[in-house]
Structures are given as C-alpha cells and as structure tokens.
C-alpha cells in the first residue's frame, strides 16, 4: 500500500476501481450524516469482507447532512 496517497471511498464501483488503479492507496471514508451514508457503509462492509486488504479508515468529523435537501431514493 502506498502511504503517500489517499483515496476517498464511497463504497461504489468507481471508488473500488480507483483504489486498484492507483495501486491501493490508503482509503478513507468521511461520515457526513447524509442520506446515502447507511447504504455506502453497508457496501463498504461487504467490500471489506471480500477484499481483506481493503482497510478503510472512517473519519467522523464532517456532519454535513443537515445541509442536504431531499430524501434518499433507496
């Protein structure tokens, strides 16, 4: 893993492809309290179960969900 790079993960396919493409940089996930957070965290948990070296560090200090408009389309 390259410690000089980080990748912001969302749990989506584009994040996973980016992680592999960039040589597996340190992945982070910013918990923002937004409407898709639960879905993203579920996807991340599933990805980590399948790919053991995908160690995503969560950051809890961005609470931006209060500024979001609309409801989640789950």
């Amino acid at each position: 893993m390259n410690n000089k790079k980080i990748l912001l993960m969302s749990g989506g396919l584009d994040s996973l492809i980016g992680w592999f493409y960039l040589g597996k940089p340190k992945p982070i996930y910013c918990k923002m309290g937004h409407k898709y957070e639960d879905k993203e965290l579920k996807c991340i948990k599933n990805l980590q179960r399948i790919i053991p070296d995908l160690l995503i560090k969560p950051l809890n200090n961005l609470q931006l969900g209060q500024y979001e408009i609309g409801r989640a389309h789950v």
Side-chain angles (χ1 to χ4, degrees):
M1 183 177 345
N2 184 342
N3 291 325
K4 293 183 180 183
K5 294 180 183 178
I6 63 167
L7 178 68
L8 183 61
M9 297 290 289
S10 68
L13 185 59
D14 54 343
S15 296
L16 185 62
I17 290 170
W19 182 70
F20 278 110
Y21 181 78
L22 295 172
K24 300 181 180 180
K26 183 176 181 175
I28 61 171
Y29 178 82
C30 295
K31 291 184 176 182
M32 297 183 286
H34 65 296
K35 59 188 172 187
Y36 295 107
E37 186 171 283
D38 290 339
K39 189 174 185 177
E40 288 179 346
L41 290 172
K42 183 178 179 183
C43 289
I44 286 173
K45 185 176 179 181
N46 288 333
L47 287 172
Q48 289 180 309
R49 194 173 314 135
I50 297 166
I51 307 168
D53 60 334
L54 181 62
L55 303 173
I56 301 170
K57 178 182 170 124
L59 300 176
N60 300 316
N61 56 350
L62 296 174
Q63 293 302 316
L64 303 176
Q66 63 184 326
Y67 303 108
E68 189 171 27
I69 299 172
R71 294 181 11 178
H73 300 285
V74 181

